[in-house]
Amino acid sequence: MTSQRVAIVTGGSRGIGRAIVKRLAADGFKVVVNYAGNQREAAAAVEEAGADNAIAVQADIADETAVKALFEAAIERFGGVDVVINAAGRMDLAPLADFDLATLDEQVRVNLRGTFVISQNALRHLRDGGALINFSSSVVGLAFPTYSVYAATKGAVEAMTLVLAREVRGRDITVNAVAPGPTATSLFLDGKDQETIDRLAQQPPLQRLGQPEDIANVVSFLAGPDGRWVNGQVLRANGGVI
């Protein structure tokens, strides 16, 4: 491994992605903060990480040309890529019978195609000793009503992750997925009333919602030297809810 470790974090401007950026910068990484459109939040994430430690790069993760430019920017600024974290995602909820097909296509585009395109570029550019960390969700197992499309996209990410771990045999690259449970981010909280939030918070034996920092700690482990023997796994970081 090189002494200077570099990470790309998609969806790094807000929520779990932003907590990951902050944690990896504290761990000594140089971090590329990918964002879809909110430049102000991306700049704030860079400021939190330290201007010498991070840059923000806008890219649509499902656009192969934009993603190629994202990786090129990381290599030009920091010299290479060692860790890639697919934290960007979209969650639209409705009963399957009522789900809008255009929204279905967009959610598949972001969650599945986006993870695919980022992963494809990661495997082309990761240095030996690197790590690819995808994001699933514990709703794959929880099977909450209205989550059919979101859970389906994340189930596909899990399947892809396990295959990729075997396809990079011989390169000393780990490939894993993190599957958070209910976590206090705007992605999770938006559209839910307080009664629903309180009920979900009581499901884990630890009786609270996860915090973005809880998930960032798991990513830090997988991205660092202590996580090198964990490979081809889905880590359900959910406080014990399943």
Side-chain angles (χ1 to χ4, degrees):
M1 299 182 189
T2 64
S3 58
Q4 180 60 72
R5 302 270 281 163
V6 181
I8 294 175
V9 182
T10 73
S13 65
R14 300 178 65 195
I16 290 172
R18 185 156 167 176
I20 292 169
V21 168
K22 186 175 181 180
R23 174 58 193 268
L24 291 185
D27 289 345
F29 280 83
K30 301 297 185 184
V31 186
V32 177
V33 180
N34 162 252
Y35 67 101
N38 195 326
Q39 186 177 17
R40 181 178 61 82
E41 292 291 348
V46 168
E47 184 177 355
E48 287 177 0
D52 293 336
N53 297 323
I55 59 170
V57 180
Q58 190 277 335
D60 173 356
I61 62 169
D63 182 328
E64 61 270 30
T65 301
V67 170
K68 182 174 183 288
L70 167 66
F71 277 78
E72 288 173 348
I75 293 167
E76 180 180 357
R77 178 65 175 83
F78 294 126
V81 181
D82 300 284
V83 175
V84 174
I85 297 109
N86 269 309
R90 173 170 174 159
M91 183 170 66
D92 303 280
L93 306 179
L96 187 147
D98 304 323
F99 208 94
D100 177 72
L101 290 180
T103 305
L104 164 71
D105 290 343
E106 184 57 28
Q107 195 161 181
V108 170
R109 184 180 185 276
V110 174
N111 294 354
L112 180 52
R113 179 185 169 93
T115 298
F116 183 96
V117 173
I118 290 287
S119 297
Q120 193 171 63
N121 280 268
L123 297 180
R124 292 169 179 168
H125 294 289
L126 278 172
R127 294 186 282 211
D128 289 354
L132 171 61
I133 303 166
N134 291 327
F135 262 74
S136 178
S137 170
S138 287
V139 299
V140 173
L142 290 168
F144 290 146
T146 74
Y147 280 77
S148 60
V149 174
Y150 184 71
T153 63
K154 293 303 186 177
V157 167
E158 290 190 10
M160 182 169 62
T161 299
L162 302 186
V163 172
L164 288 178
R166 287 146 182 84
E167 290 185 347
V168 295
R169 174 182 291 273
R171 288 187 56 188
D172 190 27
I173 291 172
T174 61
V175 185
N176 295 287
V178 177
T183 305
T185 66
S186 59
L187 182 70
F188 170 77
L189 295 172
D190 286 353
K192 294 182 174 67
D193 58 33
Q194 191 60 47
E195 181 182 356
T196 299
I197 293 169
D198 292 343
R199 175 174 52 79
L200 291 171
Q202 290 302 307
Q203 287 189 334
L206 297 177
Q207 295 183 304
R208 67 173 177 86
L209 292 177
Q211 297 298 315
E213 292 76 16
D214 293 319
I215 313 305
N217 292 341
V218 176
V219 171
S220 172
F221 168 71
L222 292 174
D226 292 341
R228 295 302 302 168
W229 197 234
V230 180
N231 190 30
Q233 304 299 316
V234 178
L235 275 67
R236 306 210 177 280
N238 57 30
V241 67
I242 58 170

